[in-house]
Amino acid sequence: MKILIHPDAERAADCVAELIAARLRTEPATNLGLATGGTMEAVYARLIAAYRGGQVSFAGATSFNLDEYVGLPPDHPCSYWRYMREHLFDHVDLTDTHLPHGDAADAEVEAARYEAAIVAAGDIGLQLLGLGANGHIGFNEPTSSLSSLTRIKTLTRSTREANARYFERFEDVPRHAITMGIGTIMRADEVVLLAYGAGKVDAVAAMIEGPVSAACPASVLQMHRKVTVVIDEAAAKGLKLRAYYDEVHPDGGEALL
Ligand code: GLP
């Protein structure tokens, strides 16, 4: 794993936006795997600015989001479809966009259709990930199969509580989501994970330095060939090998080889 530690969340978001833009410049037809959550808002804001400045284009790209709440139609204010339109799709030249349909008549059929669509597209080129405070990626909660495909997951109470800020009442937060599986994510050519803030400190330590375990789904990324983990100081506080990461990538910069 490439571990890039930045002084603050702003610099970490700059770094991730640049990694995505760089991939689109060298490979315009990339299949982007996109994520939602508060963490990604700063990344998308930077990508919109880069697009407006003529530094990046999404015209040749295709996107597949990680997940969607079961039961929410695309136009629901709390759906991830809506999040993506507000934070990215409505502001850039990305037109070939995909998310699971949370209001499908049969969510299991929809999950299988979504997995097949990703396979048919040739799998994900660059997968962007956030990190749940409990170590989840997408909505793959602790104890998820490390080889799972897109399917329905029951959300933990802690995840529903963390996401309740987007809903009027806690009871409105859906109990289930359709999420890319861990096996789906692991087929991506490249993974870029962004996490910042003290709330992620335990999950970051378990992901990078803990055992590979379904107890912390993100720890499976230790088995991926090309992962870049971008974090800030606050999220890095629990890392035992911190001095080593600083030596390899001072200030989150490129490797000194
Ligand atoms: C959400 C999403 C994840 C996201 C994570 C962290 O529930 N399903 O894709 O990475 O939880 O969210 P945040 O960035 O708001 O902390």
Side-chain angles (χ1 to χ4, degrees), residues 64-66 98-100 110-118 150 180:
F64 287 91
N65 263 77
L66 282 164
H98 304 258
L99 284 89
E110 171 61 5
R113 181 200 67 78
Y114 196 69
E115 178 73 26
I118 294 168
T150 305
M180 275 191 207

Side-chain angles (χ1 to χ4, degrees), residues 194-211:
L194 173 63
Y196 46 70
K200 303 290 170 73
V201 72
D202 292 340
V204 164
M207 166 177 68
I208 298 172
E209 296 179 346

Side-chain angles (χ1 to χ4, degrees), residues 34-41 66-69 80 83 128-134 136-141 155 159-160 162-163 165-166 177 179 194-196 200:
L34 297 178
T36 51
T39 304
M40 296 306 156
E41 292 177 17
L66 282 164
D67 45 22
E68 178 60 286
Y69 291 111
Y80 284 164
Y83 171 104
L128 178 62
L129 293 177
L131 180 66
N134 65 1
H136 74 218
I137 47 176
F139 269 132
N140 292 284
E141 299 283 35
L155 304 180
T159 293
R160 293 179 66 225
N163 290 354
R165 65 190 190 277
Y166 297 108
T179 181
L194 173 63
Y196 46 70
K200 303 290 170 73

Side-chain angles (χ1 to χ4, degrees), residues 14-210:
D14 288 344
C15 173
V16 168
E18 183 46 39
L19 289 171
I20 296 168
R23 172 105 190 189
L24 287 169
R25 282 184 211 115
T26 54
E27 200 182 324
T30 294
N31 286 338
L32 290 173
L34 297 178
T36 51
T39 304
M40 296 306 156
E41 292 177 17
V43 174
Y44 295 143
R46 283 157 175 75
L47 288 172
I48 292 167
Y51 165 72
R52 288 182 177 151
Q55 290 131 5
V56 69
S57 169
F58 298 80
T62 297
S63 72
F64 287 91
N65 263 77
L66 282 164
D67 45 22
E68 178 60 286
Y69 291 111
V70 170
L72 300 194
D75 59 356
H76 188 284
C78 298
S79 75
Y80 284 164
W81 273 103
R82 178 72 82 88
Y83 171 104
M84 290 308 300
R85 282 203 300 271
E86 279 176 14
H87 293 287
L88 188 68
F89 297 164
D90 285 353
H91 311 285
V92 298
D93 58 348
L94 177 60
T95 53
D96 191 10
T97 57
H98 304 258
L99 284 89
H101 286 266
D103 59 344
D106 186 327
E108 279 186 40
V109 170
E110 171 61 5
R113 181 200 67 78
Y114 196 69
E115 178 73 26
I118 294 168
V119 171
D123 280 325
I124 303 300
L126 186 152
Q127 177 67 55
L128 178 62
L129 293 177
L131 180 66
N134 65 1
H136 74 218
I137 47 176
F139 269 132
N140 292 284
E141 299 283 35
T143 72
S144 286
S145 158
L146 299 183
S147 56
S148 50
L149 302 179
T150 305
R151 69 215 182 291
I152 302 167
K153 282 300 292 182
T154 301
L155 304 180
T156 61
R157 188 173 177 91
S158 68
T159 293
R160 293 179 66 225
E161 283 168 355
N163 290 354
R165 65 190 190 277
Y166 297 108
F167 293 79
E168 263 184 41
R169 301 172 311 155
F170 171 73
E171 295 73 39
D172 296 336
V173 184
R175 290 177 179 277
H176 301 96
I178 296 173
T179 181
M180 275 191 207
I182 296 177
T184 320
I185 292 167
M186 290 294 281
R187 293 199 311 267
D189 181 37
E190 174 180 4
V191 174
V192 176
L193 183 144
L194 173 63
Y196 46 70
K200 303 290 170 73
V201 72
D202 292 340
V204 164
M207 166 177 68
I208 298 172
E209 296 179 346

